[in-house]
Amino acid sequence: MANNFLYFCLFCSLVVLTHSAPEEALVTQLPGFSGTFPSNHYSGYVNVDQNHGKNMFYYFVESERNPSEDPLVLWLNGGPGCSSFDGFVYEHGPFNFEAAKANESLPQLHLNPYSWSKVSNIIYLDSPVGVGFSYSKNKSDYETGDVQTAIDTHAFLLKWFELYSEFLPNPFFIAGESYAGVYVPTLSSEVVKGIVAQKKPIPNFKGYLVGNGVADDEFDGNALVPFAHGMGLISDELYEEVNSECKGNFYIPLSETCESKLEKVEKNIKDLNIYDILEPCYHAPETLENTDIKIRLPSSFQKLGETNRPLAVRTRMFGRAWPLRAPVRDGIVPTWPQLLDAESVPCTDDTVATQWLNNPAVRKAIHAEEETAIGKWELCTDKILYDHDAGSMIMYHKNLTSGGYRALIYSGDHDMCVPFTGSQAWTRSIGYEIVDEWRPWMSNGQVAGYLQGYANNLTFLTIKGAGHTVPEYKPQEAFDFYSRFLAGKAI
C-alpha cells in the first residue's frame, strides 16, 4: 500500500512537470486568423527585476511535431532596439501575414508551410527591456548595453524555465540575426557560465545560430569593398585603386586619398537596397518599370533572388542592423529612429506588423499591456540608449565552440548591410581545421548556397540569392538548413 502511494505521488509529480505551462498565458485565438492553431501558443510577461518592475515579453510557439522532444529555440532580432515580432511576422513564424484589404481593419493570417515551429519549439523575445512590448517601470533601465542585456535575458530564461519546466530536457539553442550577432554569443556565454555554476534551472544548451550578424568591427568594416567588387558593383580599376591606397584597411581610412577612393565606392552603391541588392530601393528618385526585356535573360538569371514565399517580401527592411554599411564600434550604438533626423531610411514600409500589433484586440489576445500603459508597439524603438560594451564577438565564438557547443553562422549572400565576406573572413580567422571543405549545399534538388565546416562544430554557410533576413527571402531553404542543423545532420 505504501509503495502504491509512493508511485501515485511520483505520477502526480510527473504530471505537474509535463503540464506546467501557465494556463493564463495560453493564446486561444488571434484576430485575423480563422483556422485552428497547429500547436499551442503562449505569451505574456516575465518579471526579471521586481524592484524596478522590469518585464520582458515573449511569444512561445510549441512545436507542431513533437513538443516534448523537439528542440527549444530562443529567437532574437537585432537593431539594437528591434522587436522579435519581426521574425514572427515576416520571417519564420507560424503565419504568413497578408496586408489588410481596403475594407478590412486587420491583416489576414495564413499558416506558414515553412514555419520553424514545424520542427522546434520557439520563443520570440522582445529584448532588451524597452523594445517591442517589453518595458520597465524604471526608465533608467532603458539605458543598457551588451553585457546588461545578456544578464537580463539569462534571468528571463531561468524564470521562463521555471514556468515551463517540462522543456528543460529538450535540446536548447539560441538564434538571431543582425545585431543579434552580439546578443546571441554574449547570452550563450552567460548561459554557459550559469551551467558551470550549477545555477538552476539548468537548460540542456547545445549551441546557437547567427544570421548575417555583426561580430567584429575590423572584419565587418573591411567586408564591404570585397563584396562590392565580387558582386560587380564597382569596377576592377576602382577596386585596385582602393586596395592600393587603403592597403586592405577600409575600416579606418589611413589617408585622404584612401578616403576619396572609398567615397567613390560609396557613390557607386549608395542607391542600392543595402538589405538585398537584388531588390528595388524605394527611396530612389524613381523606380524602374518592369519591362519585357527579362524574357531575353536566361531563366537562371530571372530566378536569382526569387522567393517562393506566397505573400510579398517587404518593401521595408528597416533597422535590423547597425545602418549605413558601417561596422559596430565600441560605445553608444544609435538605433534607426535616432538617426532619422540625419539620414533617410531606405525601403520603408512595415505597415502589416505595426497595424496588427497595435490593434487592441490583438494586444488583448496575446496578453500584452495596453497602449495607454506602455505606448505603441514599434518594430524598432528609439526609447533605449544602447552601449556596445562587449567588444569583438570572435573570442566569444571561439570559447563557445571550443567548449563543445555547436555554431552555425549563416549569411544571405546578397546582403550589403552585413556582407557574407566579413562573416566568411572572421570564421576562417579563428584558425580551426577545415573538416568539410567549401562545397554547395542543396535544397529541393537545387544548389541553395555554399558552406565550409570547421573543427569544433563551427559551420559557415551562405544562402544563394537571399538578403539580410534570410527566411524572409528564402523560406524553404532556411527551413531546410535550420531543420538539419537542429537535428545534428549534415547540411
Side-chain angles (χ1 to χ4, degrees):
M1 185 71 179
N3 283 340
N4 288 340
F5 179 74
L6 177 61
Y7 291 148
F8 176 76
C9 290
L10 285 171
F11 173 77
C12 289
S13 67
L14 285 172
V15 170
V16 171
L17 283 173
T18 54
H19 298 282
S20 68
E23 287 185 19
E24 66 275 12
L26 183 67
V27 178
T28 57
Q29 58 85 30
L30 286 174
F33 182 67
S34 58
T36 302
F37 292 172
S39 65
N40 289 332
H41 293 201
Y42 299 88
S43 63
Y45 289 94
V46 169
N47 186 290
V48 296
D49 186 332
Q50 293 285 351
N51 293 330
H52 277 209
K54 192 185 282 191
N55 298 282
M56 301 188 77
F57 186 85
Y58 70 92
Y59 194 105
F60 174 49
V61 185
E62 283 191 355
S63 173
E64 298 171 27
R65 186 175 61 180
N66 188 348
S68 64
E69 294 185 10
D70 283 342
L72 171 68
V73 177
L74 174 71
W75 174 261
L76 300 165
N77 276 95
C82 297
S83 168
S84 290
F85 271 106
D86 190 347
F88 180 91
V89 173
Y90 293 114
E91 297 185 60
H92 42 61
F95 308 106
N96 285 323
F97 284 69
E98 181 181 2
K101 295 179 174 63
N103 61 341
E104 296 174 352
S105 61
L106 279 177
Q108 296 300 298
L109 281 60
H110 310 276
L111 291 178
N112 178 9
Y114 302 114
S115 172
W116 286 8
S117 60
K118 296 283 184 187
V119 294
S120 66
N121 305 283
I122 185 163
I123 309 165
Y124 295 89
L125 177 67
D126 279 344
S127 175
V129 169
V131 171
F133 289 125
S134 294
Y135 71 97
S136 177
K137 294 179 180 177
N138 188 325
K139 299 301 183 283
S140 67
D141 291 326
Y142 297 162
E143 293 185 23
T144 189
D146 301 332
V147 174
Q148 188 60 50
T149 296
I151 291 169
D152 286 347
T153 310
H154 185 223
F156 163 83
L157 282 172
L158 294 179
K159 293 201 171 187
W160 189 91
F161 275 115
E162 289 177 357
L163 293 171
Y164 297 85
S165 58
E166 66 268 35
F167 291 98
L168 271 172
N170 296 53
F172 175 53
F173 294 84
I174 299 171
E177 69 193 7
S178 195
Y179 196 84
V182 174
Y183 295 159
V184 170
T186 51
L187 173 59
S188 297
S189 297
E190 201 67 25
V191 168
V192 171
K193 282 194 291 185
I195 292 170
V196 171
Q198 292 288 294
K199 193 167 185 178
K200 296 181 179 180
I202 299 175
N204 185 17
F205 183 56
K206 296 297 185 182
Y208 58 95
L209 306 87
V210 174
N212 289 82
V214 297
D216 175 89
D217 55 2
E218 186 173 341
F219 281 102
D220 293 340
N222 286 328
L224 175 64
V225 172
F227 173 86
H229 179 246
M231 287 291 174
L233 308 180
I234 60 175
S235 68
D236 288 343
E237 291 80 9
L238 178 54
Y239 180 64
E240 289 163 6
E241 289 170 13
V242 76
N243 250 329
S244 174
E245 295 297 337
C246 299
K247 297 178 171 53
N249 182 3
F250 316 117
Y251 165 43
I252 302 176
L254 300 174
S255 67
E256 288 185 8
T257 312
C258 168
E259 194 162 356
S260 71
K261 298 298 181 186
L262 290 171
E263 287 172 1
K264 288 182 73 175
V265 173
E266 170 67 18
K267 185 178 179 181
N268 275 270
I269 63 178
K270 66 182 178 65
D271 289 326
L272 291 168
N273 183 332
I274 66 173
Y275 297 104
D276 186 336
I277 62 170
L278 298 174
E279 290 291 316
C281 199
Y282 294 92
H283 78 295
E286 58 186 13
T287 302
L288 294 176
E289 297 284 333
N290 288 328
T291 69
D292 289 338
I293 194 169
K294 68 181 181 182
I295 66 174
R296 296 198 296 269
L297 295 173
S299 61
S300 58
F301 277 70
Q302 292 178 33
K303 290 181 179 296
L304 185 61
E306 183 179 290
T307 177
N308 56 2
R309 191 176 185 85
L311 301 171
V313 172
R314 276 177 292 180
T315 56
R316 175 191 197 232
M317 307 299 298
F318 169 24
R320 254 73 53 73
W322 168 229
L324 308 178
R325 299 178 288 279
V328 173
R329 297 183 172 92
D330 292 344
I332 299 300
V333 183
T335 61
W336 265 115
Q338 291 163 350
L339 288 166
L340 287 179
D341 290 339
E343 300 288 346
S344 62
V345 180
C347 312
T348 60
D349 179 15
D350 268 315
T351 304
V352 169
T354 303
Q355 187 180 52
W356 192 68
L357 289 162
N358 282 308
N359 180 276
V362 172
R363 291 174 80 132
K364 183 177 181 181
I366 65 175
H367 316 124
E369 291 283 358
E370 294 180 358
E371 187 177 320
T372 53
I374 62 171
K376 276 186 171 291
W377 179 91
E378 297 173 300
L379 183 76
C380 299
T381 185
D382 63 354
K383 284 181 188 175
I384 64 171
L385 185 65
Y386 195 92
D387 187 6
H388 175 46
D389 54 11
S392 170
M393 294 297 105
I394 294 176
M395 283 308 299
Y396 284 86
H397 288 292
K398 189 166 187 176
N399 290 338
L400 288 162
T401 52
S402 63
Y405 297 100
R406 297 167 51 215
L408 177 62
I409 310 302
Y410 66 90
S411 287
D413 66 6
H414 281 69
D415 175 28
M416 195 165 63
C417 188
V418 186
F420 78 90
T421 43
S423 300
Q424 183 180 13
W426 75 251
T427 51
R428 186 172 63 246
S429 78
I430 289 179
Y432 290 156
E433 178 188 359
I434 297 172
V435 296
D436 190 358
E437 193 173 8
W438 187 267
R439 63 169 174 84
W441 67 277
M442 310 297 285
S443 173
N444 196 31
Q446 299 292 323
V447 173
Y450 294 85
L451 68 77
Q452 183 145 291
Y454 296 92
N456 297 317
N457 291 304
L458 171 65
T459 301
F460 170 71
L461 176 144
T462 68
I463 300 88
K464 182 167 61 73
H468 190 60
T469 50
V470 169
E472 183 169 16
Y473 295 96
K474 296 292 183 179
Q476 181 174 359
E477 292 86 341
F479 178 80
D480 285 348
F481 76 68
Y482 175 81
S483 304
R484 295 170 198 170
F485 177 77
L486 292 187
K489 296 178 180 177
I491 297 176

